[in-house]
Amino acid sequence: QVQLVESGGGLVQAGDSLRLSCAASGRTCSSYAMGWFRQAPGKGREFVGAISRSGGSTYYPDSAKGRFTISRDNAKNTVYLQMNSLKPEDTAVYYCAARLHNIARVSREYDHWGQGTQVTVSS
């Protein structure tokens, strides 16, 4: 079992950058592939990106490519989401999630979730 806690959200202006962190406790973080998702009011949960257990592979949807970067530090049991050139449409609650084995793009394939951190981008 792993517990996840996101942090780093806040209110920023369009064009700014923000780095979210996801701290894992319990079972070793390196056992899990990690994903980031977001959910805006009235919308479904959207895949933002994922990283393999070793950090050697990442995957992003087209909406995140070039602006978002996921990394991890297994020694610190922490996964990061670096977001650059933020837009108002990036406003959402951002969640990290964990699953054993390989990267997945679908939320239902993740077994463990954090509580989320709010990101608000003003225009």
Side-chain angles (χ1 to χ4, degrees):
Q1 193 80 356
V2 63
Q3 292 78 43
L4 306 173
V5 178
E6 301 94 336
S7 61
L11 173 63
V12 297
Q13 293 186 333
D16 285 351
S17 298
L18 204 58
R19 188 178 79 160
L20 306 183
S21 299
C22 173
S25 60
R27 189 168 176 173
T28 305
C29 179
S30 60
S31 299
Y32 296 87
M34 302 294 292
W36 284 94
F37 293 80
R38 67 185 182 186
Q39 188 164 17
K43 295 187 177 181
R45 196 159 289 189
E46 179 187 11
F47 175 65
V48 174
I51 189 166
S52 63
R53 288 174 291 171
S54 68
S57 298
T58 54
Y59 183 85
Y60 305 95
D62 288 343
S63 59
K65 286 180 182 177
R67 294 195 303 127
F68 292 2
T69 303
I70 297 175
S71 61
R72 66 190 299 161
D73 185 339
N74 285 339
K76 296 182 178 180
N77 280 338
T78 303
V79 178
Y80 305 97
L81 175 64
Q82 177 69 42
M83 303 185 292
N84 299 326
S85 303
L86 283 163
K87 306 174 182 179
E89 51 264 42
D90 293 319
T91 296
V93 177
Y94 283 71
Y95 299 90
C96 68
R99 70 185 302 267
L100 291 171
H101 310 306
N102 300 324
I103 287 177
R105 294 172 287 172
V106 180
S107 60
R108 64 176 180 270
E109 297 190 11
Y110 286 83
D111 303 308
H112 308 282
W113 292 83
Q115 83 291 348
T117 185
Q118 175 72 47
V119 172
T120 303
V121 184
S122 63
S123 57

